[in-house]
Amino acid sequence: MGSGARGDGGDLAMASPPSSSTLSPPVVPMDLHVSNRRKLLDSLRHHFAASSSRPSHGFVLLQGGEEQTRYCTDHLELFRQESYFAYLFGVHEPGFYGAIDISTGKSILFAPRLPADYAVWLGEIKPLSYFKESYMVDLVYYVDELKETLENLFEEKEKKPLLFLLHGLNTDSNNYSKPAKFEGMESFEIDLTTLHPILTECRVLKSEQELAIIQYANDVSSEAHIQVMRNAKVGMKEYQLESIFLHHIYMYGGCRHCSYTCICATGNNSSVLHYGHAAAPNDKTLEDGDMALMDMGAEYSFYGSDITCSFPINGKFTTDQTIIYNAVLQAHNNVISSMHPGVSWVNMHKLAEKTILEALNKEGIVQGNVEEMMAERVGAVFMPHGLGHLLGIDTHDPGGYAEGLERPKEPGLRSLRTVRELQKGMVITVEPGCYFIEALLIPASENPATAKFFNHEKLEKFKKFGGVRIESDVCVTAEGCRNMTNCPRETWEIEAVMAGAPWPLKQ
């Protein structure tokens, strides 16, 4: 499907939109998380029936996130729920545990018991009945009742209750999820291996309700990116563009959280893949002739978006900017038009690389046979990152490397966050890029196997160019795919919008 296609946001309830936006924060039905629990329960029972490795009794037990203070101070950082716990229970508050009784299917929340004087600070100490009704669970107790409650609910009294805890590797961060801990765990039998891969796989394919929220996050983010384009001016600071984005998604979209730290890179900074961190805090002054690379995404009710727009700060593409931008746009469009269930994501990455190399070859920036360049991994010199990643409750949603899948070792390909074949219901980012990074170009130019492919005279022109990335969030459908992102992409569209034209453009 073409790059301008998008969904309609599903059937979430909508209020009247504010005058400065076409959108309004939707009411997210809590039965979304009920469905997620049911999906996990079905998957676990299927696993037990197929393997006979465990009887289908016991409890899934997850520990929610805890509030964190800033080092030794009493300053509380803005809380965001742990993702697996959010997926299953939708709880926004810290300090909770959640359990699912595998034999009965009942869901149980354990809320922190707060002292009465906390009402002065919190406004209200909510009763357990509030959490039962709000989060659509079967039972609610206090956290200090966890051990006794699970022991009483366990039907096989002659055995230790069995707990399936979350423990497994996140292949993006290389960090392990932390299993739940509580006083009295020695009274239970613990399983640390079963839950993580099964729950992770549940998160890979999105339901229609999940897709509706991701679509809303995309709509809000797309709108905010357009506001950034329209307001970018020579002499501003990069962080002012970030501020425009953050203001719009919160003011009009109700998005208190971003999916990740905003990347607001201009000029040569756009060749730094994760620019915007504490050591490079989006603080360069915007200059005439700079390209901007804006990688920013809103999060709504836990579910995120991840969108990148590249555009000239002064609103007009130069010839060189057009060459590089259109090379990346063609790769972006070629991949989206080729996506459908069963397609290898590795092959999609290679398609993007080849498209960019063909465009650079046509302009004489590289020279020689493109197939030979592909064999020598020259594409990774210009696009050192992977083509995209799964998206959902996390920006880099888990499940990219299911059991049995190995990470490639070749340059560029080893940066892929998944090597899976596409399936209906996946949401994945398509984010090809072309960058001029001296740390990669110099060694490649000196390597006898690859030096012949580079036109050093033409490359010199792009020494301070930076880079271009175009990123959309794409849902795989039965017939192909649907682009959930709705931003200007063609050069003439971007120039028109930056000049004040409404979006979408009137024909």
Side-chain angles (χ1 to χ4, degrees):
M1 191 173 285
S3 62
R6 64 168 181 167
D8 60 6
D11 55 359
L12 297 180
M14 302 291 284
S16 299
S19 59
S20 297
S21 172
T22 62
L23 303 168
S24 182
V27 176
V28 177
M30 192 50 58
D31 63 0
L32 180 156
H33 302 285
V34 175
S35 298
N36 289 347
R37 293 196 294 271
R38 190 179 304 118
K39 184 178 183 181
L40 172 63
L41 194 59
D42 290 344
S43 297
L44 281 169
R45 288 172 173 171
H46 178 77
H47 168 78
F48 294 136
S51 65
S52 300
S53 60
R54 289 278 187 182
S56 57
H57 68 273
F59 303 91
V60 168
L61 179 66
L62 272 70
Q63 183 175 357
E66 299 285 346
E67 280 190 311
Q68 301 293 322
T69 59
R70 183 179 291 174
Y71 306 112
C72 66
T73 74
D74 63 353
H75 173 92
L76 286 170
E77 303 287 0
L78 179 61
F79 176 74
R80 197 275 195 183
Q81 188 60 265
E82 193 279 326
S83 294
Y84 283 99
F85 192 81
Y87 176 80
L88 289 179
F89 294 98
V91 173
H92 288 269
E93 300 94 332
F96 278 70
Y97 288 73
I100 302 172
D101 188 331
I102 296 174
S103 61
T104 66
K106 288 184 177 180
S107 53
I108 313 151
L109 272 183
F110 296 91
R113 193 190 295 268
L114 301 177
D117 60 1
Y118 269 45
V120 175
W121 307 103
L122 300 180
E124 179 188 6
I125 304 299
K126 295 183 175 71
L128 295 183
S129 58
Y130 168 86
F131 299 116
K132 180 179 180 181
E133 181 179 348
S134 297
Y135 295 121
M136 293 180 66
V137 294
D138 298 298
L139 302 167
V140 183
Y141 300 91
Y142 287 113
V143 168
D144 54 40
E145 300 171 316
L146 194 156
K147 176 179 179 293
E148 179 184 3
T149 299
L150 294 185
E151 287 177 332
N152 290 339
L153 290 172
F154 192 64
E155 295 176 351
E156 300 183 39
K157 302 301 182 185
E158 70 281 3
K159 298 180 181 179
K160 279 187 175 183
L162 174 59
L163 299 182
F164 295 94
L165 305 184
L166 188 70
H167 181 64
L169 178 68
N170 183 310
T171 56
D172 283 300
S173 66
N174 284 323
N175 294 325
Y176 281 84
S177 55
K178 296 180 180 179
K181 291 183 178 180
F182 61 95
E183 288 188 17
M185 286 187 68
E186 64 278 0
S187 300
F188 295 82
E189 183 183 351
I190 303 298
D191 182 312
L192 291 174
T193 60
T194 300
L195 179 60
H196 187 271
I198 293 174
L199 180 52
T200 295
E201 196 65 21
C202 287
R203 289 177 58 182
V204 170
L205 304 182
K206 273 60 179 181
S207 68
E208 290 300 321
Q209 288 177 313
E210 290 178 292
L211 291 174
I213 305 176
I214 297 171
Q215 182 64 66
Y216 175 74
N218 263 267
D219 290 343
V220 170
S221 298
S222 298
E223 206 175 66
H225 270 282
I226 291 167
Q227 288 303 310
V228 171
M229 285 184 190
R230 286 183 173 142
N231 288 279
K233 298 289 185 293
V234 172
M236 293 175 67
K237 291 287 190 179
E238 292 167 337
Y239 58 71
Q240 291 178 287
L241 303 184
E242 178 181 17
S243 177
I244 292 167
F245 181 88
L246 296 176
H247 171 74
H248 190 91
I249 66 170
Y250 198 1
M251 179 75 176
Y252 302 114
C255 300
R256 198 175 191 187
H257 291 275
C258 255
S259 297
Y260 50 93
T261 301
C262 293
I263 298 171
C264 297
T266 60
N268 196 46
N269 290 339
S270 55
S271 65
V272 181
L273 299 184
H274 281 175
Y275 182 76
H277 53 76
N282 295 333
D283 62 355
K284 178 183 176 295
T285 301
L286 279 55
E287 298 179 19
D288 194 13
D290 278 352
M291 279 290 287
L293 188 159
M294 301 284 114
D295 188 339
M296 302 178 286
E299 176 185 300
Y300 186 78
S301 195
F302 306 123
Y303 287 85
S305 58
D306 188 356
I307 298 172
T308 305
C309 295
S310 296
F311 55 89
I313 288 299
N314 62 16
K316 291 290 183 180
F317 283 87
T318 66
T319 300
D320 287 343
Q321 288 171 346
T322 300
I323 289 169
I324 304 306
Y325 184 89
N326 281 341
V328 177
L329 181 61
Q330 191 61 54
H332 169 273
N333 293 347
N334 284 355
V335 168
I336 291 177
S337 64
S338 302
M339 288 172 60
H340 58 79
V343 166
S344 162
W345 194 241
V346 176
N347 289 342
M348 292 295 94
H349 179 97
K350 290 179 179 178
L351 173 61
E353 279 187 336
K354 185 176 181 181
T355 303
I356 291 169
L357 286 174
E358 286 173 343
L360 298 181
N361 197 36
K362 181 180 178 181
E363 298 297 332
I365 299 169
V366 295
Q367 53 199 9
N369 184 280
V370 171
E371 293 297 339
E372 292 179 14
M373 294 182 206
M374 292 288 291
E376 293 293 343
R377 305 301 307 135
V378 173
V381 176
F382 296 97
M383 191 175 84
H385 59 73
L387 174 63
H389 51 81
L390 299 176
L391 175 75
I393 283 185
D394 290 316
T395 310
H396 297 158
D397 231 23
Y401 285 89
E403 188 174 344
L405 297 178
E406 295 185 5
R407 187 179 293 274
K409 296 179 172 56
E410 301 94 330
L413 298 178
R414 63 180 171 232
S415 297
L416 281 166
R417 297 185 185 274
T418 184
V419 292
R420 298 179 68 134
E421 290 186 354
L422 298 180
Q423 294 175 261
K424 178 187 174 184
M426 283 182 174
V427 176
I428 194 163
T429 65
V430 176
E431 49 179 306
C434 181
Y435 316 87
F436 296 86
I437 305 171
E438 286 194 20
L440 298 177
L441 284 167
I442 291 174
S445 298
E446 295 173 349
N447 182 346
T450 55
K452 62 183 179 181
F453 296 121
F454 298 98
N455 183 330
H456 301 285
E457 182 179 344
K458 287 221 171 182
L459 276 173
E460 188 67 23
K461 291 173 57 181
F462 292 91
K463 191 173 182 180
K464 299 297 183 182
F465 182 91
V468 168
R469 180 162 66 251
I470 301 172
E471 179 179 15
S472 297
D473 302 339
V474 180
C475 172
V476 182
T477 65
E479 297 79 22
C481 67
R482 172 167 57 91
N483 191 342
M484 307 176 85
T485 303
N486 185 27
C487 292
R489 291 308 195 192
E490 299 291 343
T491 55
W492 59 272
E493 292 176 332
I494 292 170
E495 290 181 348
V497 167
M498 293 186 73
W503 180 257
L505 298 178
K506 295 179 180 179
Q507 295 298 321

